[in-house]
Coordinates of all heavy atoms in Angstrom, one line a residue:
D26 N 3.7 20.3 7.6 CA 4.5 21.5 7.1 C 5.2 22.1 8.3 O 4.6 22.6 9.2 CB 3.4 22.5 6.5 CG 4.0 23.8 6.2 OD1 5.2 23.9 6.0 OD2 3.2 24.8 6.2
L38 N 8.1 15.9 8.8 CA 8.1 14.5 8.9 C 9.0 14.0 10.0 O 8.6 13.2 10.9 CB 8.4 13.8 7.6 CG 8.5 12.3 7.6 CD1 7.3 11.6 8.2 CD2 8.8 11.7 6.2
D47 N 5.2 5.7 18.2 CA 4.3 5.3 19.2 C 3.1 4.6 18.7 O 2.5 3.7 19.3 CB 3.8 6.6 19.9 CG 4.8 7.2 20.8 OD1 5.8 6.5 21.0 OD2 4.6 8.4 21.3
Y80 N 10.0 20.3 -0.5 CA 10.0 19.4 0.7 C 11.4 19.5 1.5 O 11.5 18.9 2.5 CB 9.8 18.0 0.3 CG 8.6 17.7 -0.7 CD1 8.7 16.8 -1.6 CD2 7.5 18.5 -0.6 CE1 7.7 16.6 -2.6 CE2 6.5 18.4 -1.6 CZ 6.6 17.4 -2.5 OH 5.6 17.2 -3.5
G97 N 14.2 3.0 15.3 CA 14.1 1.6 14.9 C 13.2 1.5 13.7 O 12.7 0.4 13.4
G191 N 20.6 1.8 -6.2 CA 21.9 1.8 -5.5 C 22.0 3.1 -4.7 O 22.4 3.1 -3.5
E247 N -1.1 -15.0 -11.7 CA -0.1 -14.2 -12.4 C 0.8 -13.5 -11.3 O 2.0 -13.3 -11.5 CB -0.8 -13.1 -13.2 CG -1.4 -13.7 -14.4 CD -2.2 -12.7 -15.3 OE1 -1.5 -11.7 -15.7 OE2 -3.4 -12.9 -15.5
N269 N -8.0 -7.6 -1.2 CA -8.6 -6.3 -0.9 C -9.9 -6.1 -1.5 O -10.9 -5.7 -0.9 CB -7.6 -5.2 -1.3 CG -8.2 -3.8 -1.1 OD1 -8.8 -3.2 -2.1 ND2 -8.1 -3.3 0.1
P345 N -13.7 5.4 6.2 CA -14.7 6.0 7.1 C -15.9 6.6 6.3 O -17.1 6.5 6.7 CB -14.0 7.0 8.0 CG -12.6 6.7 7.8 CD -12.4 6.0 6.5
I377 N -6.6 7.7 12.3 CA -7.5 8.6 13.0 C -8.9 8.7 12.3 O -9.8 9.5 12.7 CB -7.0 10.1 13.1 CG1 -6.6 10.6 11.7 CG2 -5.8 10.1 14.1 CD1 -6.3 12.1 11.7
G383 N -14.9 15.1 -0.5 CA -15.7 14.9 -1.7 C -15.8 16.1 -2.6 O -16.2 16.0 -3.8
S389 N -7.5 12.9 -5.8 CA -7.0 13.9 -4.9 C -7.9 14.0 -3.6 O -7.5 14.4 -2.6 CB -6.9 15.3 -5.5 OG -6.1 15.2 -6.6
A448 N -0.1 -3.1 18.2 CA 0.7 -3.7 19.3 C 0.4 -5.2 19.3 O 1.3 -6.1 19.4 CB 0.5 -3.1 20.6
L530 N -20.3 -13.1 19.7 CA -19.8 -12.0 19.0 C -20.9 -10.9 18.8 O -22.0 -11.2 18.3 CB -19.4 -12.4 17.6 CG -18.1 -13.2 17.4 CD1 -17.9 -13.5 15.9 CD2 -16.9 -12.3 17.8

Side-chain angles (χ1 to χ4, degrees):
D26 168 26
L38 172 56
D47 286 350
Y80 317 142
E247 291 179 56
N269 174 265
I377 56 167
S389 303
L530 283 178

